[in-house]
């Protein structure tokens, strides 16, 4: 059995196995030899660092034995300060942060008791709080320990500590102190590469659009010039080139990191893969060029390699998404769908990925099912951001889910526009437009809210102002009280100034009938003709022209010409697959009354019945009125309840007296007394807004109510 001095020689020569063998014998004979336990633990620790072990269980067993030896040493003789030091370093290797700090703190206390130096414990504590920092408090603690360490050592030994203290300031966002630390290090050690690295990252913290960006790259390159193995600087440059969108430079820098073995190998591979993906999808539409195909081949190879390396790592999902996204970029939609469906089966998916997959289904929608798929993925997002709300609104808009749109818009507006820290959403005005339109589509009577949102939309130069002016005008004229008439006409004029064909038609209609403004049929026909010149497919405007010829109002009476125009309007509607039905109503009216065509009651009834069944509540009001008339006159196949369903019965105001009187007749026939009383009140107000032309027609029938034909054709 060798002496401890002899064993120390073995250790100094690097023969730790022989040292451990001899120490085993000493401990067997002297179980309370604290120094022997310490030396065996130390020898095993160094031997473990030098040897390669394939079996993790064996490694863990050795670490456990080392820990036991060092603890046994302290148990026997608490004054052996190096045992605490050993446990401190051991727990750092085991990444047991709490114990690492505990033994470093104990080492400081023991060193103070024994009046020994323990600057390594200070450095251990400082770096522990730096490397494992979770909050500001941790970084401030690290700075305190670095300060204490730097005071106790000479300028050369404090170099790295000063650099790491600078990193603490950087992490805290105290960039002036980080920069000052870097400047002093450069002054004291002009050839110290990490000083330039610190200077570079302190400057780059201001962002890629900062005026200091190029300076930051200069200092990072200087760090690499001094030490081509400064992988921190290389990685930082690669990341900043990526953020800047300089993808080729980023790839070049990632490649430099991949040339040699270092801690950034995996990160560089992941970064290079993402860079290729972003470079490709941002390069413009896929044309099949040689360069595009070369980049795609490289990107797919990189992605497949990353997926193989990551294995069960949850980051793998991101790279599977990149693969699917590149399939969609190439136009291979089915392959992209297949990839995304597989991703959806994964257990843990980030909100951002759900959003991107939802965006794919929205952008490449081939049917309603795609929009529904998009919404399904959006529903999986736990923490919705602006973009998710936007996409949800747009997808529902495509599906005409107006109630859902109103709900989402209100949630979005409450969540984000009331947040003072939220940046103004770039789509906010378009969203407000959809919100206002959707409120109209669900028959909301909150007209002030609708108009308020439409007015705000006028701030967006990209939106169709003519459409917005017209929508505001229609609400004020047809849905609100008489107090809003003139203002509504002003908005209509604003839309006309922007050459909006529908606004010309609406103004022509009011001039023709004179319900809101003084009638001027000649001017009305001129405006209707302008409307047709602006949009030859606008069937409403043809109806005004036909009415003029039918009634001899503003032009010489010519029933044949009237029917010809109505027929043309209907043909235009069919060609353009128009969802309006005013031309059909005009034709039915002509067939029923023999205007410009031989009377054909069955044809009239067929047109009205078929249109009402097909279009339902979206039928033109003239179809609804004619259907109601035929139902009230007890024509076979015409139902009173069906007639009611063709109208919006909840409006507080009606601009058309014929609608009011027809609804009143329907309610009376169906015995709905409350609704009759409601319509009597509305009728009184509507009479005030009815022009002489319509009133004269109604007076002819008011005494013979049963025979009232509801449309003043």
């Amino acid at each position: 059995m060798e002496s401890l001095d002899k064993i120390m020689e073995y250790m100094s020569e690097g023969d730790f196995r022989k040292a451990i063998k001899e120490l085993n014998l000493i401990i067997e004979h002297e179980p309370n030899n604290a120094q022997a336990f310490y030396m065996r633990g130390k020898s095993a620790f160094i031997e473990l660092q030098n040897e390669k072990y394939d079996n993790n269980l064996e490694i863990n067993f050795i670490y456990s034995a080392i820990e036991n030896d060092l603890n046994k040493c302290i148990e026997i003789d608490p004054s052996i300060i190096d045992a605490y030091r050993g446990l401190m370093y051991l727990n750092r290797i085991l990444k047991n942060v709490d114990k690492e700090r505990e033994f470093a703190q104990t080492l400081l206390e023991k060193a103070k008791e024994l009046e020994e130096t323990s600057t390594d414990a200070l450095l251990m504590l400082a770096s522990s709080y730096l490397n494992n920092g979770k909050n500001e408090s941790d970084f401030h603690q690290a700075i305190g320990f670095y300060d204490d360490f730097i005071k106790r050592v000479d300028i050369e030994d404090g170099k790295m500590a000063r650099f790491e203290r600078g990193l603490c300031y950087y992490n805290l966002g105290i960039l002036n102190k980080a920069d000052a630390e870097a400047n002093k290090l450069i002054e004291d050690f002009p050839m110290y590469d990490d000083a330039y690295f610190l200077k570079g990252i302190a400057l780059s913290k201001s962002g890629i659009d900062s005026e200091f960006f190029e300076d930051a790259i200069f200092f990072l390159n200087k760090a690499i010039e001094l030490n081509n193995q400064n992988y921190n600087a290389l990685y930082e440059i690669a990341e900043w080139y990526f953020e800047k969108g300089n993808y080729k430079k980023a790839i070049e820098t990632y490649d430099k990191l991949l040339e040699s073995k270092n801690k950034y190998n995996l990160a560089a591979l992941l970064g290079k893969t993402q860079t290729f993906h972003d470079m490709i999808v941002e390069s413009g539409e896929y044309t099949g060029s040689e360069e595009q195909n070369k980049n795609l081949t490289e990107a797919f190879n990189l992605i497949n390699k990353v997926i193989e390396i990551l294995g069960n790592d949850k980051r793998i999902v991101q790279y599977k998404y990149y693969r699917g996204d590149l399939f969609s970029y190439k136009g291979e939609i089915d392959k992209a769908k297949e990839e995304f469906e597989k991703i959806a089966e994964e257990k843990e998916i980030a909100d951002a990925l759900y959003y991107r997959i939802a965006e794919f289904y929205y952008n490449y929608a081939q049917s309603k099912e795609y929009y529904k798929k998009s919404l399904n993925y959006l529903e999986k997002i736990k923490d919705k951001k602006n973009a998710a709300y936007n996409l949800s609104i747009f997808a529902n808009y495509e599906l005409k889910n107006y109630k859902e749109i109103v709900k989402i818009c209100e949630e979005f507006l409450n969540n984000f526009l009331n947040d003072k820290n939220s940046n103004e959403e770039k789509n906010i005005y378009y969203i407000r437009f959809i919100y206002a339109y959707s409120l109209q589509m669900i028959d909301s009577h909150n007209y002030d809210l609708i108009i308020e949102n439409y007015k705000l939309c006028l701030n967006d130069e990209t939106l169709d102002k003519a459409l917005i002016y017209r929508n505001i005008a229609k609400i004020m004229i047809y849905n609100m009280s008489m107090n809003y008439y003139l203002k509504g006409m002003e908005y209509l004029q604003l839309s006309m100034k922007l050459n909006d064909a529908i606004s010309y038609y609406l103004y022509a209609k009011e001039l023709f009938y004179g319900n809101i403004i003084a009638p001027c049929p000649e001017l009305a026909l001129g405006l209707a003709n302008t409307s047709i010149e602006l949009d030859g497919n606008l069937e409403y405007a043809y109806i005004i022209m036909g009415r003029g010829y039918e009634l001899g109002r503003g032009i010489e009476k010519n029933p044949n010409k009237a029917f010809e125009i109505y027929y043309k309007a209907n043909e235009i509607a069919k060609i353009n697959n128009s969802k309006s039905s005013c031309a059909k109503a005009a034709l039915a009216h002509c067939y029923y009354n023999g205007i410009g065509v031989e009377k054909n009651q069955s044809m009239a009834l067929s047109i009205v019945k078929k249109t009402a069944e097909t279009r339902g509540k979206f039928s033109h009001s003239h179809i609804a009125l004619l259907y109601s008339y035929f139902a009230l006159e007890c024509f076979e196949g015409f139902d009173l309840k069906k007639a009611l369903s063709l109208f919006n019965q909840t409006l507080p105001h009606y601009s058309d007296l014929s609608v009011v009187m027809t609804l009143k007749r329907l309610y009376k026939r169906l015995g709905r007394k409350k609704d009759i009383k409601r319509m009597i009140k509305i009728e009184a107000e509507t009479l005030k807004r009815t022009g002489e032309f319509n009133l004269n027609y109604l007076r002819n029938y008011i005494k013979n109510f049963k025979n009232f034909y509801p449309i003043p054709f």
Side-chain angles (χ1 to χ4, degrees), residues 554-570:
I555 200 168
E556 186 178 346
K557 189 172 183 177
N558 187 336
N560 292 334
K561 184 70 173 174
F563 180 80
E564 180 186 321
I565 292 173
Y566 294 149
Y567 188 86
K568 181 179 180 180
N570 189 54

Side-chain angles (χ1 to χ4, degrees), residues 476-501:
M476 289 181 167
I477 295 168
Y478 302 120
N479 298 116
M480 301 179 77
S481 66
M482 294 174 62
N483 299 333
Y484 291 90
Y485 276 5
L486 294 179
K487 193 67 178 173
M489 295 304 291
E490 288 177 12
Y491 274 102
L492 204 57
Q493 289 171 345
L494 288 172
S495 186
M496 289 167 67
K497 287 179 180 179
L498 296 172
N499 292 325
D500 182 63

Side-chain angles (χ1 to χ4, degrees), residues 30-208:
E30 301 176 33
N32 290 320
N33 190 325
Q35 191 66 31
F37 276 107
Y38 165 70
M39 290 171 67
R40 187 171 71 175
K42 180 179 179 180
S43 297
F45 182 80
I46 297 172
E47 176 70 7
L48 187 60
Q49 309 311 307
N50 295 334
E51 294 293 325
K52 290 184 179 180
Y53 293 86
D54 296 326
N55 191 325
N56 285 332
L57 286 175
E58 187 178 359
I59 293 172
N60 290 335
F61 175 78
I62 295 171
Y63 276 130
S64 179
I66 294 168
E67 185 176 22
N68 287 336
D69 277 349
L70 294 174
N71 279 320
K72 186 67 176 176
C73 169
I74 291 170
E75 180 186 330
I76 298 168
D77 185 357
S79 67
I80 299 179
I81 197 169
D82 282 337
Y84 299 99
R85 184 172 278 111
L87 284 167
M88 177 180 74
Y89 285 109
L90 175 67
N91 280 289
R92 165 154 288 194
I93 294 225
L94 294 174
K95 296 182 180 178
N96 192 333
V97 177
D98 290 337
K99 280 195 171 184
E100 170 194 322
R101 292 175 184 173
E102 177 190 335
F103 283 109
Q105 197 67 51
T106 304
L107 178 59
L108 281 175
E109 293 167 4
K110 286 292 179 182
K112 188 175 181 181
E113 287 176 16
L114 300 171
E115 297 182 352
E116 294 188 21
T117 58
S118 58
T119 51
D120 59 336
L122 283 171
L123 196 58
M124 180 70 75
L125 283 166
S127 61
S128 177
Y129 281 104
L130 167 62
N131 297 328
N132 303 290
K134 296 177 180 177
N135 50 49
E136 290 187 3
S137 175
D138 285 342
F139 294 121
H140 281 296
Q141 284 206 65
I143 289 170
F145 287 120
Y146 280 124
D147 287 345
D148 201 0
F149 174 83
I150 291 164
K151 287 176 186 175
R152 298 187 184 195
V153 298
D154 61 32
I155 188 170
E156 182 66 39
D157 291 338
K159 180 172 67 174
M160 182 176 289
R162 288 165 60 186
F163 162 68
E164 291 181 354
R165 182 171 64 182
L167 291 179
C168 291
Y169 289 129
Y170 172 82
N171 289 331
L172 287 166
I174 309 174
L175 300 182
N176 59 329
K177 285 199 172 185
D179 188 59
E181 191 82 75
N183 289 336
K184 191 69 173 69
L185 277 169
I186 291 170
E187 180 184 336
D188 293 341
F189 306 100
M191 304 303 289
Y192 182 35
D193 55 302
D194 275 337
Y196 295 93
F197 168 73
L198 179 60
K199 176 79 175 178
I201 62 172
L203 289 172
S204 66
K205 187 87 169 182
S206 302
I208 58 173

Side-chain angles (χ1 to χ4, degrees), residues 262-507:
N262 58 77
K263 66 178 181 179
Y264 288 111
N265 283 154
L266 179 57
L269 179 62
L270 299 182
K272 181 181 178 181
T273 306
Q274 183 182 0
T275 304
F276 259 100
H277 165 269
D278 290 9
M279 180 177 69
I280 291 167
V281 297
E282 293 176 20
S283 65
E285 187 178 347
Y286 177 66
T287 60
S289 70
E290 184 179 347
E291 184 180 0
Q292 283 180 325
N293 287 329
K294 181 182 176 183
N295 287 335
L296 279 164
T297 300
E298 177 72 10
F300 280 121
N301 288 338
L302 285 167
I303 290 169
N304 293 336
K305 184 177 180 181
V306 166
I307 289 172
E308 183 182 348
I309 291 171
L310 289 178
N312 295 323
D313 192 311
K314 62 183 180 181
R315 289 176 292 179
I316 196 172
V317 179
Q318 179 70 49
Y319 294 87
K320 288 180 178 179
Y321 165 77
Y322 288 150
R323 186 162 60 189
D325 196 35
L326 290 178
F327 282 136
S328 68
Y329 173 78
K330 284 185 71 178
E332 297 176 352
I333 305 304
D334 289 338
K335 285 186 178 181
K337 279 174 59 182
E338 183 181 351
E339 193 74 54
F340 293 146
E341 292 298 330
K342 288 179 183 177
I343 290 172
E345 295 172 4
E346 299 281 347
K347 291 181 180 179
E348 294 184 24
I349 302 179
D351 283 352
L353 279 184
Y354 278 130
Y355 172 77
R356 287 169 185 165
I357 296 173
E359 190 177 39
F360 161 79
Y361 278 103
Y362 179 84
N363 290 336
Y364 293 94
Q366 299 171 358
S367 66
K368 288 184 178 180
E369 294 306 312
Y370 278 69
Y371 293 119
K372 290 176 182 177
K373 278 267 191 185
S374 178
L375 290 170
N376 286 340
Y377 284 112
L378 289 170
E379 282 299 314
K380 297 176 184 291
I381 295 175
K382 296 173 184 175
D383 183 17
K384 284 187 171 61
K385 306 297 183 186
N386 292 30
Y389 277 103
N390 284 198
L391 191 57
S392 183
I393 291 166
F394 300 152
N396 275 294
Y397 190 60
E398 295 293 338
L399 293 169
K400 296 182 171 59
N401 293 335
Y402 298 115
K403 285 186 179 179
E404 187 65 19
I405 291 170
V406 168
K407 176 184 171 185
I408 297 169
C409 284
E410 288 175 350
E411 184 179 339
F412 167 75
L413 293 171
N414 287 333
N415 286 354
F416 291 96
L417 298 186
N418 293 332
D419 182 359
K420 294 179 180 178
N421 296 319
S422 176
N423 293 325
E424 185 70 8
E425 167 60 39
K426 64 178 180 179
N427 289 322
I428 187 62
Y429 296 117
Y430 184 46
I431 289 171
R432 285 191 177 278
F433 177 85
I434 292 175
Y435 178 44
Y437 179 76
S438 299
L439 284 168
Q440 287 184 275
M441 295 306 292
I442 64 171
D443 297 326
S444 170
H445 298 163
N446 194 342
Y447 301 120
D448 288 334
L449 177 62
I450 296 171
I451 289 173
E452 176 192 350
N453 278 278
Y454 274 137
K455 284 182 177 179
L456 286 169
C457 293
L458 294 169
N459 292 313
D460 189 338
E461 295 299 324
T462 65
L463 293 178
D464 185 349
K465 288 191 176 182
L467 174 60
I468 297 168
Y469 287 137
R470 187 213 311 153
N471 286 355
I472 295 172
K474 287 172 70 177
I475 294 169
M476 289 181 167
I477 295 168
Y478 302 120
N479 298 116
M480 301 179 77
S481 66
M482 294 174 62
N483 299 333
Y484 291 90
Y485 276 5
L486 294 179
K487 193 67 178 173
M489 295 304 291
E490 288 177 12
Y491 274 102
L492 204 57
Q493 289 171 345
L494 288 172
S495 186
M496 289 167 67
K497 287 179 180 179
L498 296 172
N499 292 325
D500 182 63
I502 297 177
S503 296
Y504 270 97
Y505 151 72
L506 291 171
Y507 210 95

